[in-house]
């Protein structure tokens, strides 16, 4: 996890929202055999990640096709061809991109650059990490580009999975997620935005008198949306190291008081009748629709929610607004959850030079603006807000304001990669939170279950030495 106080946030594309419930363990692997720059080919440009400087030939892109379509990628490709007239760009775009390109990678017909989030249900990036099939792209961030990115964003295990100081992926989109509310509802009732959970429950008691519940979420199909609440809470209560310990399966991590205090908030929501009736059977769009109609005060989500629900009915005067997760006590610094979507180059790519040039091209101001206007998304650039002002929606800008403030802790991360296993600790955690809300289990029972699973996973962690990583170009 990047231990950073990031200075900006933007929006993540809606595609990651659908895959948030998928864990990092138990990923399907891809074939490790390679005839071009494979794991054992230490002398090639593919294996070393070095560039020859020859930007020409065919550049094959494979990009996730989200709600905004793929026209913007075609437009960006045309701009790239103008800059590099000896390059011809071809694009593969599909909502099920991982399933489409996995057999191509196996059959030595890999794309040169892939944009598909590490959280995607296909598990493609995690497989490429495990199988040592990603190119070192550290040189992309030379010449000042790294300094333009939000501090620390490249430091986490997603980007440096082997601890060798080398970078194997680049962040294309970045978001700060949290708890969303209707600012107009708060304004017209004279309610202050809560900074602590005591204040949140006090507002909820007032709202209950108007028939408004406190909380709802996508319990039926995306319960992991609650990560926008629980991970920041654990970090705020116990420090970011506590979250690192959980993600790295450290013994005793799930029994920590920070986890207990976090789960007790959900117990109070369930026991106190603060959960919107019917939530446990609601999908993400159903819960979001109820929230838009002021049936519930709060919903955990990302800034994609405004675009995702743009055609849905809502309460009169509804205003999208986001707040950090409330603190459990006065004086405790609040925290928010940040996420990225990644792009990367497989070692079987045949045009690594052009792929690296295109990767860097996506951070240029004009291209960032083009992508923001089309997708409501942007990379983790320090000057992101000024670049996209007026090009993104209100929800996105609300999250950006939170991300731009040094008043809050920005936390991110994910479970350490393991060998293939049937254990999905992430899935079990968020299902367990639903069981607490539904009074089917207790915090203590869930913590015991997760601690047991964690220690089983600790024995399956994928480890790679620095020399192994260097030799494999992953």
């Amino acid at each position: 996890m990047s231990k950073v106080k990031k200075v900006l946030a933007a929006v993540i594309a809606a595609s990651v929202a659908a895959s948030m419930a998928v864990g990092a363990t138990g990923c399907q692997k891809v074939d490790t055999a390679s005839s071009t720059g494979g794991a054992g080919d230490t002398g090639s440009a593919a294996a070393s990640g070095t560039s020859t400087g020859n930007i020409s030939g065919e550049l094959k892109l494979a990009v996730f096709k989200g709600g905004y379509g793929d026209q913007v990628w075609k437009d960006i490709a045309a701009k790239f061809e103008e800059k590099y007239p000896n390059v011809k760009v071809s694009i593969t775009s599909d909502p099920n991109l991982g399933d489409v390109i996995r057999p191509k990678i196996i059959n030595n017909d890999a794309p040169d650059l892939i944009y598909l989030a590490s959280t995607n249900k296909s598990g493609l990036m995690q497989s490429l990490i495990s199988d040592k099939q990603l190119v070192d792209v550290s040189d992309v961030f030379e010449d000042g580009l790294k300094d333009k990115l939000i501090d620390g964003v490249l430091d986490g295990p997603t980007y440096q999975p082997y601890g060798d100081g080398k970078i194997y992926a680049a962040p294309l989109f970045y978001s700060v997620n949290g708890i969303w509310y209707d600012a107009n509802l708060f304004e017209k009732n004279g309610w202050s935005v809560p900074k602590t959970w005591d204040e949140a429950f006090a507002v909820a008691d007032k709202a209950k008198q108007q028939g408004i519940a406190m909380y709802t979420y996508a319990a039926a199909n995306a319960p992991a949306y609650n990560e926008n609440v629980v991970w920041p809470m654990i970090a705020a209560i116990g420090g970011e190291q506590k979250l690192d310990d959980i993600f790295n399966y450290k013994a005793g991590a799930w029994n920590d008081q920070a986890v207990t205090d976090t789960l007790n908030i959900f117990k109070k929501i369930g026991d106190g009748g603060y959960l919107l009736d019917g939530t446990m059977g609601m999908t993400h769009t159903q819960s979001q629709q109820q929230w838009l109609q002021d049936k519930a005060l709060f919903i955990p989500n990302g800034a994609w929610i405004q675009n995702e629900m743009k055609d849905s009915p809502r309460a009169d005067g509804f205003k999208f607004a986001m707040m950090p997760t409330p603190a459990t006590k006065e004086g405790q610094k609040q925290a928010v959850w940040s996420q990225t979507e990644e792009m990367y180059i497989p070692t079987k790519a045949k045009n690594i030079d052009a792929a690296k040039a295109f990767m860097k091209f996506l951070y240029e101001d004009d291209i960032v603006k083009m992508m923001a206007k089309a997708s409501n998304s942007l990379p983790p650039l320090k000057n992101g807000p000024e670049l996209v002002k007026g090009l993104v929606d209100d929800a996105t800008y609300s999250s950006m304001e939170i991300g731009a403030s040094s008043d809050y802790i920005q936390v991110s991360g994910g479970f350490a990669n393991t060998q293939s296993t049937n254990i999905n600790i992430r899935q079990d955690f968020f299902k367990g939170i639903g069981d607490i809300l539904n009074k089917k289990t207790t915090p203590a029972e869930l913590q015991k279950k997760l601690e047991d699973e964690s220690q089983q996973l600790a024995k399956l962690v994928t480890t790679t030495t620095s020399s192994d990583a260097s030799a494999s170009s992953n």
Side-chain angles (χ1 to χ4, degrees), residues 17 101 114 179 182 204 206 212 257 278 410 418 430 460 466:
I101 65 175
I114 301 169
I179 297 176
D182 175 6
K206 296 176 182 177
I212 302 171
Q257 189 63 42
Q410 311 284 342
T418 70
F430 291 110
L460 301 174
S466 295

Side-chain angles (χ1 to χ4, degrees), residues 20-228:
M20 284 169 67
V22 181
T25 59
C27 300
Q28 181 180 350
K29 288 178 166 296
V30 296
D31 189 351
T32 57
S34 172
S35 61
T36 307
D41 184 3
T42 59
S44 69
S48 66
T50 59
S51 297
T52 65
N54 180 25
I55 313 302
S56 62
E58 182 184 11
L59 172 63
K60 296 189 293 185
L61 305 180
V63 299
F64 177 83
K65 187 175 184 178
Y68 57 87
D70 59 7
Q71 183 58 49
V72 67
W73 287 104
K74 296 175 183 177
D75 295 340
I76 291 173
K79 292 284 188 182
F80 187 75
E81 289 174 343
E82 289 178 11
K83 184 171 183 177
Y84 298 100
N86 292 326
V87 174
K88 180 63 178 177
V89 180
S90 62
I91 301 172
T92 298
S93 176
D94 197 282
N96 298 309
L97 185 68
D99 296 331
V100 170
I101 65 175
R102 188 187 296 272
K104 293 185 178 183
I105 295 173
I106 292 171
N107 292 312
N108 292 317
D109 186 25
D112 297 306
L113 184 141
I114 301 169
Y115 154 52
L116 186 67
S118 59
T119 54
N120 185 268
K121 63 183 179 181
S122 71
L124 180 68
M125 183 178 179
Q126 297 297 343
S127 296
L128 292 172
I129 289 173
S130 296
D131 297 339
K132 306 183 180 72
Q133 291 190 27
L134 290 182
V135 167
D136 173 9
V137 295
S138 302
D139 55 328
V140 170
F141 299 97
E142 295 173 354
D143 302 324
L145 178 56
K146 185 175 182 180
D147 293 335
K148 294 179 181 179
L149 296 178
I150 292 172
D151 294 337
V153 74
L154 296 174
D155 294 342
T158 298
Y159 298 100
Q160 299 188 39
Y162 303 106
D164 59 356
K166 297 178 181 179
I167 300 166
Y168 295 90
L172 179 58
F173 297 134
Y174 175 73
S175 72
V176 166
N177 306 334
I179 297 176
W180 291 81
Y181 65 98
D182 175 6
N184 180 61
L185 178 65
F186 274 68
E187 291 166 4
K188 72 181 184 182
N189 284 285
W191 299 334
S192 298
V193 178
K195 295 183 178 180
T196 67
W197 279 106
D198 285 345
E199 293 173 358
F201 283 112
V203 172
D205 288 337
K206 296 176 182 177
K208 189 181 292 185
Q209 298 173 12
Q210 300 183 31
I212 302 171
M214 177 185 188
Y215 196 81
T216 190
Y217 73 105
N221 73 329
Y225 276 31
N226 273 326
E227 74 176 349
N228 298 314

Side-chain angles (χ1 to χ4, degrees), residues 186-474:
F186 274 68
E187 291 166 4
K188 72 181 184 182
N189 284 285
W191 299 334
S192 298
V193 178
K195 295 183 178 180
T196 67
W197 279 106
D198 285 345
E199 293 173 358
F201 283 112
V203 172
D205 288 337
K206 296 176 182 177
K208 189 181 292 185
Q209 298 173 12
Q210 300 183 31
I212 302 171
M214 177 185 188
Y215 196 81
T216 190
Y217 73 105
N221 73 329
Y225 276 31
N226 273 326
E227 74 176 349
N228 298 314
V229 179
V230 296
W231 300 140
M233 281 186 67
I234 291 171
I237 296 168
E240 292 176 87
Q241 185 59 50
K242 298 295 183 185
L243 203 52
D244 270 341
D245 291 345
I246 287 173
F247 288 153
N248 289 289
Y249 316 117
K250 182 176 179 180
W254 284 104
N255 294 325
D256 193 87
Q257 189 63 42
V259 179
T260 303
D261 291 350
T262 296
L263 295 179
N264 279 337
I265 293 296
F266 286 92
K267 185 176 187 299
K268 183 173 181 178
I269 292 173
D271 291 351
Y274 291 102
L275 188 69
L276 176 66
D277 288 344
T279 289
M280 301 313 296
M282 292 181 190
T283 64
H284 66 292
T285 52
Q286 290 170 335
S287 60
Q288 289 163 191
Q289 183 59 69
Q290 293 294 304
W291 172 72
L292 280 173
Q293 295 175 316
D294 285 345
K295 301 298 184 183
L297 288 178
F298 305 122
I299 189 169
N301 221 296
W304 60 79
I305 189 172
Q306 181 169 348
N307 183 62
E308 187 171 61
M309 304 298 288
K310 63 181 184 296
D311 298 323
S312 301
R314 63 203 61 195
D316 291 342
F318 191 97
K319 292 182 183 178
F320 288 89
M322 193 191 89
M323 68 181 195
T325 301
T328 54
K329 61 183 179 181
E330 291 284 348
Q332 183 184 92
K333 201 168 186 177
Q334 293 172 264
V336 290
W337 180 244
S338 61
Q339 291 179 300
T340 57
E341 290 188 68
E342 306 85 5
M343 52 183 168
Y344 35 93
I345 302 170
T347 55
K348 293 184 180 182
K350 294 180 174 63
N351 199 344
I352 290 177
D353 291 319
K356 287 184 175 183
F358 188 84
M359 184 179 280
K360 198 161 190 170
F361 184 70
L362 291 172
Y363 293 106
E364 294 186 6
D365 289 357
D366 289 347
I367 305 305
V368 169
K369 291 178 182 179
M370 184 184 299
M371 183 65 82
K373 186 175 182 179
S375 68
N376 205 44
S377 309
L378 70 159
L381 294 166
K382 292 175 181 176
N383 66 336
E386 60 190 80
L387 282 178
V388 305
K389 188 173 184 179
L391 299 176
V392 295
D393 62 28
D394 296 339
T396 297
Y397 214 82
S398 175
S399 69
M400 290 168 68
E401 289 180 319
I402 298 293
S405 174
S406 60
D407 293 338
Y408 309 114
I409 303 169
Q410 311 284 342
V411 295
S412 63
F415 287 99
N417 203 34
T418 70
Q419 300 171 38
S420 182
T421 173
N422 291 326
I423 299 172
N424 193 326
I425 194 169
R426 176 183 168 85
Q427 177 178 294
D428 291 344
F429 178 39
F430 291 110
K431 180 183 180 298
I433 288 175
D435 289 340
I436 289 173
L437 288 166
N438 217 19
K439 305 175 188 177
K440 291 183 177 179
T441 193
T442 67
E445 289 169 344
L446 179 58
Q447 286 174 269
K448 182 180 185 305
K449 173 183 173 67
L450 296 170
E451 180 64 25
D452 290 344
E453 289 187 355
S454 180
Q455 292 317 292
Q456 293 180 62
L457 291 170
K459 300 174 183 178
L460 301 174
V461 171
T462 303
T463 57
T464 305
T465 66
S466 295
S467 59
D468 288 340
S470 177
S472 67
S473 182
N474 188 30

